[in-house]
Amino acid sequence: MVGILKLLKSDESTENNTKAFSVLIAFSGGVWLLCATPWFFLEQRRVGLKLPPGTNFLTVGFIQVYIAFKECMKLKQTLSYLIFYFLMGDVLNTTVTVIATLQNSVVAYSTLQLTLLLIVGIAAQAIGVYIFWLAQKKFKISTKAMLSFNVFWIIILTMWGLVGVHTDKFGFKHVWEIWVYQLFYGLMVCPWYAYSQTMISEVSPLPQMFLFFALFSVVGKTSAFIGPFVSSAIITASGNNNNMPFAFLFGLSVASTVFLLMVDIEKSRKECDAFVEAEETRKAFGTDM
């Protein structure tokens, strides 16, 4: 990708930069098509669960998510983590979006520089997740403790942007900060996507775990578009100060962390065991709603 940008001299003019960006998209699309096409011919059919009576492929997902959410109300620890997952997911998704906006203005939409930043970010993410995993394995640290450590750095990330509300010297205002951000995000923040998912398995009933993962997935996707709307309103109200949303994000991140600290894994396991025993007779996850 970098070779294509160098060959097309993307940094010499806006016209070259736009042309190189188009070629890069075409190249990436071609690679995706080449790698994805064999799956359609080589993938073998796998027998899945039968659809419950009274449902079809269009409605079964909505029905199961509704049931999972209703049953989640009976699991206090699971509900607490669900609230945290929704709020912190919103914080992180929105923070990344706001930083991306600042980043693009700082690097002036240079396709070459954005590509190099992406490469550095991906490499840092791989290293960060691996280091977190090694540390947890060696020192036998719980998933909740690792997630709490990770959340601390997400809060630091929002504070980083918050500093830029009243100054142009810091707060994703310079190119060097964007490079540091890519490293920081990859090493300290990216493990969120691994540990937040792993934590779901520790607060969900085993027999219905697939439904609870579906519920958390829906909640996570919902939070992805709420935050940007709020941030956009904040930017407009503050006179186009692009760093102002970090004040909201910092406060929300701290508030959401309280719900994570409230989660007791041992209590959650007892609640899930009792829940499974009760559901064996009631069959809430069967055909009845």
Side-chain angles (χ1 to χ4, degrees), residues 195-209:
Y195 284 101
S196 63
Q197 293 293 310
T198 304
M199 188 70 176
I200 296 174
S201 65
E202 299 206 9
V203 296
S204 301
L206 184 58
Q208 294 87 23
M209 190 169 292

Side-chain angles (χ1 to χ4, degrees), residues 96-138:
V96 171
T97 300
V98 174
I99 294 175
T101 302
L102 296 170
Q103 170 183 296
N104 289 337
S105 62
V106 169
V107 300
Y109 289 98
S110 168
T111 305
L112 177 58
Q113 197 159 24
L114 288 173
T115 302
L116 292 173
L117 285 168
L118 179 63
I119 293 173
V120 171
I122 292 174
Q125 290 168 26
I127 295 172
V129 172
Y130 185 65
I131 290 176
F132 266 63
W133 176 76
L134 282 180
Q136 182 181 20
K137 183 179 179 181
K138 182 176 181 179

Side-chain angles (χ1 to χ4, degrees), residues 70-205:
K70 183 176 68 173
E71 298 302 315
C72 185
M73 296 294 133
K74 303 173 184 177
L75 301 169
K76 295 181 180 180
Q77 306 305 317
T78 307
L79 179 60
S80 180
Y81 183 68
L82 181 66
I83 296 173
F84 160 77
Y85 185 81
F86 173 81
L87 295 176
M88 187 57 74
D90 189 27
V91 169
L92 183 55
N93 289 327
T94 307
T95 297
V96 171
T97 300
V98 174
I99 294 175
T101 302
L102 296 170
Q103 170 183 296
N104 289 337
S105 62
V106 169
V107 300
Y109 289 98
S110 168
T111 305
L112 177 58
Q113 197 159 24
L114 288 173
T115 302
L116 292 173
L117 285 168
L118 179 63
I119 293 173
V120 171
I122 292 174
Q125 290 168 26
I127 295 172
V129 172
Y130 185 65
I131 290 176
F132 266 63
W133 176 76
L134 282 180
Q136 182 181 20
K137 183 179 179 181
K138 182 176 181 179
F139 298 105
K140 302 185 186 311
I141 306 173
S142 68
T143 301
K144 180 184 175 182
M146 293 298 296
L147 181 59
S148 299
F149 179 71
N150 174 245
V151 165
F152 169 77
W153 295 108
I154 295 177
I155 295 175
I156 294 297
L157 185 63
T158 62
M159 293 175 63
W160 183 350
L162 183 59
V163 174
V165 171
H166 299 296
T167 180
D168 290 328
K169 296 181 179 180
F170 196 70
F172 306 109
K173 303 295 182 69
H174 307 280
V175 175
W176 68 265
E177 282 188 274
I178 303 302
W179 286 99
V180 174
Y181 159 69
Q182 291 294 339
L183 290 171
F184 178 85
Y185 178 83
L187 295 174
M188 309 308 298
V189 176
C190 191
W192 155 267
Y193 299 100
Y195 284 101
S196 63
Q197 293 293 310
T198 304
M199 188 70 176
I200 296 174
S201 65
E202 299 206 9
V203 296
S204 301

